[in-house]
Amino acid sequence: MKPDLFQAPDYYLLDDLLTEEHKLVRDSARAWVKREVSPIIEDYAQRAEFPKQIIKGLGEIGGFGPYIPEEYGGAGLDQISYGLIMQEIERGDSGVRSTSSVQSSLVMYPIWKFGTEEQRMKYLPKLATGEFMGCFGLTEPDYGSNPSGMVTNFKDMGDHYLLNGAKMWISNAPFADIAVVWAKNEEGRIHGLIVERGMEGFTTPETHNKWSLRASATGELIFDNVKVPKENLLPGKSGLGAPMMCLDSARYGIAWGAIGAAMDCYDTALRYAKERIQFDKPIAATQLQQKKLAEMITEITKAQLLTWRLGVLRNEGKATTAQISMAKRNNVDMAINIAREARQILGGMGITGEYSIMRHSMNLESVITYEGTHDIHLLITGADITGMPAFK
């Protein structure tokens, strides 16, 4: 088991832009990842298993709903703190960050923003500690980039709703205690419903044979005449805009998280290049390797500046969906390219589980697709700057 020697790059001294609280939150998360995630994650990824024993620790470092107010069990932190936590967790593994950001932005966020006070008090404190785990049901077998076409639906049966349909590619589904599910009512309007494990007709089969996010649990949500109590409807907002608000929060977290994966690949490649001797000198002393490393740190620095500014805008309530899309698309693309270049610096060693790079590279192949594909985010920016949607 190799020690975690990670040193975070900060080429433009961005720490000077952070408050002492920001740095304390980040450093606590970083230390936890080094202690609890790095030593075990390669083994769990090889076995395609989520390490459930880390759930309690994720809650303790603020990995679940850090911006949720303290009255509901959250830490009451700002958006930059949330981003820094996601950065550090994804530095450890994208799948672990997926577990964290789904719980935060796709389960706790809608209950906080759209739920009743009774729903907030019932679910949020337990979700904040990890006593309850949740998942988010939007994507369907036939409707991914076009979620408005969903067929999952519910009918008013008088004293309850009857829910039918299916969702897929759902992080946390196999072990989630609750699911925030988006479905159409009889008028075709999209609403959020809280579905609890144990409700008759609700099953969560696991998705196997993944080459990506192997240390994350992925599954389906199947609803076969599930009776959902009426008090489990999220009344605060309906329409597609409701789940899109959740995805804004989650995509913002991804923009930060991808930087963590890129930083880990860069740091690994830099250290290796300094130690690997070929033709009587370290390969770091050659022009081609320096080109790779210099381009990596440049792209990481640009992404750090982009995302810090986005965090300021989020704190001020000014960040737009299109701005979040730009950061998600740019930063994940940056990270996946750095992973590929870093793998080349390590040569054959880069494909082994002795180093994190190939795992990051495989994980990022999912991150570049989920919560809005690379191309869809491009079109969001295009529509924003031209005023002409080109999605179909």
Side-chain angles (χ1 to χ4, degrees):
M1 188 178 295
K2 296 186 68 171
D4 184 343
L5 302 175
F6 174 72
Q7 293 184 319
D10 185 11
Y11 202 72
Y12 262 41
L13 308 182
L14 267 76
D15 269 20
D16 292 350
L17 299 174
L18 304 178
T19 66
E20 290 305 311
E21 181 178 66
H22 291 152
K23 288 183 275 192
L24 178 62
V25 166
R26 179 200 61 197
D27 292 348
S28 296
R30 183 173 296 165
W32 179 81
V33 168
K34 285 193 172 195
R35 186 177 66 251
E36 303 294 338
V37 178
S38 298
I40 66 168
I41 199 63
E42 300 296 346
D43 181 51
Y44 276 86
Q46 292 282 2
R47 292 183 346 213
E49 182 181 342
F50 174 71
K52 290 184 181 178
Q53 70 272 21
I54 68 171
I55 287 175
K56 185 173 184 290
L58 278 170
E60 290 170 350
I61 64 165
F64 299 141
Y67 49 77
I68 298 293
E70 292 182 55
E71 63 192 287
Y72 302 122
L77 299 174
D78 74 351
Q79 289 292 303
I80 291 176
S81 291
Y82 166 54
L84 288 165
I85 293 169
M86 295 302 103
Q87 172 186 284
E88 295 305 313
I89 294 174
E90 187 145 1
R91 203 281 298 177
D93 186 75
S94 300
V96 176
R97 197 268 310 140
S98 291
T99 296
S100 178
S101 61
V102 165
Q103 181 95 332
S104 298
S105 292
L106 302 183
V107 180
M108 298 178 72
Y109 180 90
I111 294 173
W112 172 44
K113 286 291 187 181
F114 314 140
T116 64
E117 189 64 16
E118 291 74 20
Q119 288 168 342
R120 294 184 193 115
M121 296 306 298
K122 179 179 179 180
Y123 296 109
L124 291 178
K126 291 183 177 180
L127 288 164
T129 63
E131 181 182 346
F132 279 3
M133 293 299 295
C135 63
F136 175 86
L138 181 65
T139 298
E140 297 188 0
D142 295 320
Y143 295 96
S145 296
N146 177 26
S148 63
M150 70 173 65
V151 295
T152 299
N153 65 91
F154 64 97
K155 296 179 180 179
D156 189 334
M157 305 303 288
D159 60 347
H160 66 273
Y161 298 120
L162 199 63
L163 178 66
N164 282 282
K167 306 289 183 177
M168 73 180 305
W169 305 120
I170 310 300
S171 294
N172 301 356
F175 57 74
D177 299 289
I178 67 169
V180 173
V181 178
W182 301 94
K184 289 179 177 176
N185 66 8
E186 291 162 273
E187 289 74 45
R189 185 74 176 174
I190 294 171
H191 290 265
L193 299 158
I194 301 172
V195 182
E196 300 181 19
R197 184 171 296 281
M199 289 182 176
E200 188 175 353
F202 174 41
T203 54
T204 59
E206 186 164 1
T207 303
H208 296 289
N209 298 323
K210 297 184 299 178
W211 287 114
S212 183
L213 298 180
R214 289 173 60 81
S216 174
T218 309
E220 301 174 55
L221 304 176
I222 308 295
F223 314 106
D224 182 8
N225 288 322
V226 179
K227 293 181 179 179
V228 181
K230 286 200 165 179
E231 60 266 27
N232 284 30
L233 181 83
L234 296 175
K237 188 174 177 64
S238 63
L240 192 59
M244 290 299 106
M245 284 179 63
C246 305
L247 288 169
D248 274 353
S249 180
R251 290 163 176 169
Y252 168 75
I254 290 171
W256 280 92
I259 295 173
M263 286 172 21
D264 195 59
C265 292
Y266 165 77
D267 181 65
T268 301
L270 177 63
R271 185 176 298 107
Y272 185 89
K274 289 179 177 180
E275 297 171 353
R276 174 66 169 168
I277 307 298
Q278 289 291 286
F279 303 105
D280 302 320
K281 64 179 181 182
I283 62 172
T286 64
Q287 290 183 3
L288 285 177
Q289 305 310 321
Q290 287 192 8
K291 175 182 184 293
K292 288 183 173 69
L293 292 164
E295 289 175 342
M296 287 181 197
I297 190 59
T298 301
E299 294 305 313
I300 288 170
T301 301
K302 287 156 65 177
Q304 288 173 320
L305 288 163
L306 177 72
T307 314
W308 173 81
R309 176 58 183 160
L310 183 62
V312 172
L313 292 173
R314 287 278 289 175
N315 281 339
E316 295 174 350
K318 296 178 181 177
T320 67
T321 293
Q323 288 169 337
I324 294 167
S325 278
M326 177 183 282
K328 192 271 186 183
R329 178 180 182 272
N330 179 82
N331 291 9
V332 180
D333 185 60
M334 171 275 299
I336 202 166
N337 288 327
I338 284 177
R340 288 166 181 162
E341 290 291 285
R343 208 290 301 160
Q344 289 201 61
I345 290 176
L346 267 67
M349 292 304 296
I351 71 164
T352 71
E354 187 175 351
Y355 296 93
S356 62
I357 293 173
M358 196 66 178
R359 175 172 49 81
H360 282 307
S361 187
M362 291 192 299
N363 285 342
L364 289 164
E365 290 290 349
S366 288
V367 182
I368 205 167
T369 297
Y370 69 28
E371 296 188 28
T373 68
H374 186 71
D375 293 339
I376 287 292
H377 284 298
L378 182 79
L379 294 179
I380 290 172
T381 302
D384 192 50
I385 61 176
T386 66
M388 302 177 197
F391 299 100
K392 56 184 178 180

